[in-house]
Amino acid sequence: MPTPDKAAAVAELADQFRSSNAAVLTEYRGLTVAQLKTLRRSLGENAQYAVVKNTLTKIAANEAGITSLDDQFTGPTAVAFITGDPVESAKGLRDFAKENPNLIIKGGVLDGKALSADEIKKLADLESREVLLAKLAGAMKGKQTQAAQLFQALPSKFVRTAEALRVKLEEQGGAE
């Protein structure tokens, strides 16, 4: 029979799984409290990093409809619950893991789809949503500029052709 504290913890974790765009499981064995604090800051404003109990977190994940992570709840586990852009937080985890080899990315879930540790690292290699949107806007603006130049070129080319034709007709008319 679960205690009220454990039931509340499971309910809170299940809510976090449901309200997050992504969740990344890590093993933090060997990291100091100061290093964990630095890790939390590196994840960005849209992520919450929580050290969790495996059994309770597994139950909470299952309640939230996430069963793909069941085999990853071994050893000291912490979860990064990401509510915003998952790329920014994945970059924070990847970069921190490079500097601190004690942090091991186990896997995670993104919009209900299971991700391996390698897929999370590939996600970290992507550019942020804002950068991708800016590139898209720039490309669209470039195409609009090209279209505007094309539309401006057609009338001016027509005018030049008409003028050349007029001059040619005048020369032919004057030669007769």
Side-chain angles (χ1 to χ4, degrees), residues 25-29 31 74-78 102-106:
L25 273 61
T26 63
E27 183 175 320
Y28 63 94
R29 187 187 327 254
L31 294 177
T74 57
T77 303
N102 287 337
L103 180 74
I104 299 168
I105 299 172
K106 295 180 177 183

Side-chain angles (χ1 to χ4, degrees), residues 108-125:
V109 63
L110 174 65
D111 293 328
K113 180 189 176 291
L115 297 176
S116 68
D118 289 336
E119 289 172 321
I120 292 170
K121 290 173 184 170
K122 287 178 185 174
L123 180 66
D125 291 336

Side-chain angles (χ1 to χ4, degrees), residues 55-117:
T55 306
L56 299 180
T57 308
K58 184 177 180 179
I59 293 168
N62 288 332
E63 281 185 14
I66 301 169
T67 57
S68 57
L69 301 176
D70 286 356
D71 60 334
Q72 296 179 9
F73 291 110
T74 57
T77 303
V79 182
F81 294 104
I82 304 164
T83 55
D85 183 11
V87 173
E88 177 186 356
S89 298
K91 285 181 189 215
L93 283 168
R94 179 200 58 198
D95 294 345
F96 187 86
K98 282 182 183 176
E99 296 172 14
N100 300 283
N102 287 337
L103 180 74
I104 299 168
I105 299 172
K106 295 180 177 183
V109 63
L110 174 65
D111 293 328
K113 180 189 176 291
L115 297 176
S116 68

Side-chain angles (χ1 to χ4, degrees), residues 22-70:
V24 178
L25 273 61
T26 63
E27 183 175 320
Y28 63 94
R29 187 187 327 254
L31 294 177
T32 65
V33 172
Q35 288 172 322
L36 288 174
K37 188 175 180 180
T38 303
L39 172 59
R40 285 184 173 99
R41 277 191 303 239
S42 70
L43 291 178
E45 297 176 9
N46 299 323
Q48 181 182 1
Y49 190 74
V51 174
V52 295
K53 291 192 177 285
N54 288 334
T55 306
L56 299 180
T57 308
K58 184 177 180 179
I59 293 168
N62 288 332
E63 281 185 14
I66 301 169
T67 57
S68 57
L69 301 176
D70 286 356

Side-chain angles (χ1 to χ4, degrees), residues 121-172:
K121 290 173 184 170
K122 287 178 185 174
L123 180 66
D125 291 336
L126 292 176
E127 294 175 339
S128 72
R129 182 177 189 270
E130 289 78 20
V131 171
L132 291 174
L133 287 174
K135 285 185 174 184
L136 178 63
M140 290 174 70
K141 182 179 178 190
K143 293 298 179 190
Q144 288 175 341
T145 302
Q146 287 176 340
Q149 290 171 347
L150 176 66
F151 293 136
Q152 289 174 348
L154 289 174
S156 64
K157 187 173 184 180
F158 175 75
V159 169
R160 286 194 305 271
T161 304
E163 180 63 21
L165 182 60
R166 184 188 65 77
V167 169
K168 184 175 182 181
L169 288 175
E170 280 181 4
E171 288 175 357
Q172 287 177 352

